[in-house]
Amino acid sequence: MKNKYKNILYTAIVLTFFSSLSVAQSPGDLDKTFGNGGKVNVGIGGYYDVAKSMALQQDGKIVLVGYGKESLASFKGLSMARYLQNGEIDYDFGNYGVIHRVTKELEGEANSVAIQKDDKIVVIGYSISPTTNNEEITLIRFTENGNIDRLFGDKGFIVTEISEQKDVAESVVIQPDGKIVVVGTSDHKPSPDIVLIRYDEDGSLDNSFGIGGIVITDINSALDVGKSIAIQKDGKIIVSGFTHVANKFYITLLRYDSNGDLDTTFGKNGIVITDINGRRGKMDMVIQSDGKIIVVGPSEVENSHHFTVLRF
């Protein structure tokens, strides 16, 4: 009888061991505790939805922004969703966890999102002007639960028109003092240029930055595009993007002082141009703890598009 119990115990230990092996996860595996086997899919617009950016709140909740459409014929509308740490939709946010079309009249896209210290959510991108039909830089601030923050800008909205053509905000970062810095591109004559804008915490333009809160940078008198932004520990502002010269895209990196002037101690007069046969597309950037800068974006090698990572 004693041997019988020993065999049963041995069998149980072996089964437990192999069972634990089957659920053990290695670095890089999908996290099975998140969503459905590590994946979450949510439809918002009804026809198609595109996520463009995400941010984490202090409590670990995940905020996604982008755009969606209800049908092929409908125009794009800003979309948002918030998830709990386990991937479940947060029904306390917006309309049962999602927001689609902040207003019925607002057509456009959300390209980036940042979370303030008080958990208010700043979303940036562009909207279509109902009078000129041009794309205009647009900021919207939401309260923690997904309501429009009426104390920000003009009842929660800020529209900044720089050129008479197309102005698009691509990335946003919030400084430690609460000021909001946005980078994008303006069809500023005679050619599109990188535009950098800083707003005070209430949404008004920061007059201590650039000219009336705005800095326009023309690199090569051609197509210059601002894509991503980050703030160094000393308050200097790093911008990554593209410049187009002689039918070729080059990845660019620019550094500005806290007042908006180009930092002439960085690269050549504040600008670094890297020839890797880049492609115009989404870019992102992060600053390491040692100050080194990592940039990721698309490039083309032998007619094939590649992931490209650079460190400066």
Side-chain angles (χ1 to χ4, degrees), residues 183-186 188 191-196 214-226 239 242-243 252-256 260-262 269-271:
V183 69
T185 306
S186 171
H188 191 260
S191 61
D193 293 321
I194 294 171
V195 61
L196 194 61
I214 299 171
V215 175
I216 296 173
T217 304
D218 180 5
I219 298 177
N220 282 312
S221 298
L223 172 63
D224 301 316
V225 179
V239 167
F242 296 98
T243 188
T252 56
L253 201 64
L254 306 91
R255 188 164 77 184
Y256 300 83
D261 292 337
L262 278 169
N269 297 320
I271 302 172

Side-chain angles (χ1 to χ4, degrees), residues 242 251 276-284 295-310:
F242 296 98
I251 284 182
I276 62 164
N277 201 22
R279 298 287 302 179
R280 186 176 181 179
K282 182 69 176 174
M283 294 183 70
D284 208 351
V295 177
V296 62
S299 67
E300 185 173 321
V301 180
E302 297 177 350
N303 297 319
S304 176
H305 294 184
H306 287 235
F307 283 156
T308 301
V309 183
L310 305 92

Side-chain angles (χ1 to χ4, degrees), residues 12-24:
I13 291 172
V14 171
L15 289 174
T16 301
F17 173 74
F18 282 107
S19 176
S20 66
L21 285 180
S22 66
V23 298

Side-chain angles (χ1 to χ4, degrees), residues 23-303:
V23 298
Q25 293 190 259
S26 302
D29 289 347
L30 282 170
D31 180 2
K32 300 297 175 60
T33 68
F34 182 81
N36 182 13
K39 304 173 185 178
V40 176
N41 291 304
V42 174
I44 299 175
Y47 177 65
Y48 74 74
D49 301 286
V50 177
K52 300 291 290 288
S53 182
M54 61 169 282
L56 291 177
Q57 295 186 187
Q58 297 178 60
D59 59 3
K61 292 180 180 178
I62 306 163
V63 179
L64 263 63
V65 301
Y67 65 89
K69 296 180 67 172
E70 298 91 350
S71 66
L72 180 62
S74 66
F75 58 72
K76 297 175 182 177
L78 177 148
S79 294
M80 295 178 64
R82 189 168 75 184
Y83 303 88
L84 303 176
Q85 291 188 50
N86 62 2
E88 293 180 3
I89 199 78
D90 181 6
Y91 292 107
D92 293 329
F93 180 79
N95 183 19
Y96 297 103
V98 302
I99 297 172
H100 179 57
R101 293 206 184 286
V102 179
T103 68
K104 292 182 179 179
E105 297 79 19
L106 185 67
E107 177 182 3
E109 296 184 25
N111 286 328
S112 185
V113 58
I115 309 294
Q116 295 184 171
K117 291 179 180 177
D118 59 2
D119 275 336
K120 288 184 177 180
I121 303 164
V122 178
V123 178
I124 63 98
Y126 74 86
S127 60
I128 304 296
S129 168
T131 55
T132 65
N133 205 37
N134 293 330
E135 297 175 7
E136 298 175 330
I137 290 172
T138 302
L139 286 74
I140 310 171
R141 190 166 73 186
F142 298 85
T143 61
E144 184 184 0
N145 61 5
N147 293 323
I148 294 175
D149 180 8
R150 303 289 177 180
L151 301 177
F152 181 74
D154 183 10
K155 297 180 180 178
F157 296 81
I158 296 173
V159 175
T160 304
E161 184 179 8
I162 296 173
S163 72
E164 296 178 355
Q165 300 297 321
K166 178 180 179 181
D167 302 315
V168 176
E170 294 283 359
S171 185
V172 59
V173 67
I174 298 174
Q175 295 184 171
D177 61 2
K179 291 184 178 183
I180 302 163
V181 190
V182 172
V183 69
T185 306
S186 171
D187 273 359
H188 191 260
K189 293 180 180 179
S191 61
D193 293 321
I194 294 171
V195 61
L196 194 61
I197 310 172
R198 190 163 73 189
Y199 302 86
D200 288 322
E201 195 169 358
D202 63 358
S204 57
L205 286 166
D206 178 8
N207 290 320
S208 68
F209 186 79
I211 300 175
I214 299 171
V215 175
I216 296 173
T217 304
D218 180 5
I219 298 177
N220 282 312
S221 298
L223 172 63
D224 301 316
V225 179
K227 279 291 186 178
S228 186
I229 187 170
I231 305 290
Q232 293 186 170
K233 292 177 181 178
D234 60 3
K236 292 184 178 182
I237 301 166
I238 304 286
V239 167
S240 65
F242 296 98
T243 188
H244 187 257
V245 182
N247 297 319
K248 189 175 182 180
F249 283 107
Y250 295 79
I251 284 182
T252 56
L253 201 64
L254 306 91
R255 188 164 77 184
Y256 300 83
D257 290 326
S258 58
N259 64 358
D261 292 337
L262 278 169
D263 177 8
T264 56
T265 67
F266 183 80
K268 184 178 180 181
N269 297 320
I271 302 172
V272 175
I273 299 175
T274 305
D275 180 5
I276 62 164
N277 201 22
R279 298 287 302 179
R280 186 176 181 179
K282 182 69 176 174
M283 294 183 70
D284 208 351
M285 176 173 51
V286 67
I287 300 175
Q288 294 182 173
S289 58
D290 62 0
K292 291 180 179 179
I293 304 158
I294 299 176
V295 177
V296 62
S299 67
E300 185 173 321
V301 180
E302 297 177 350
N303 297 319

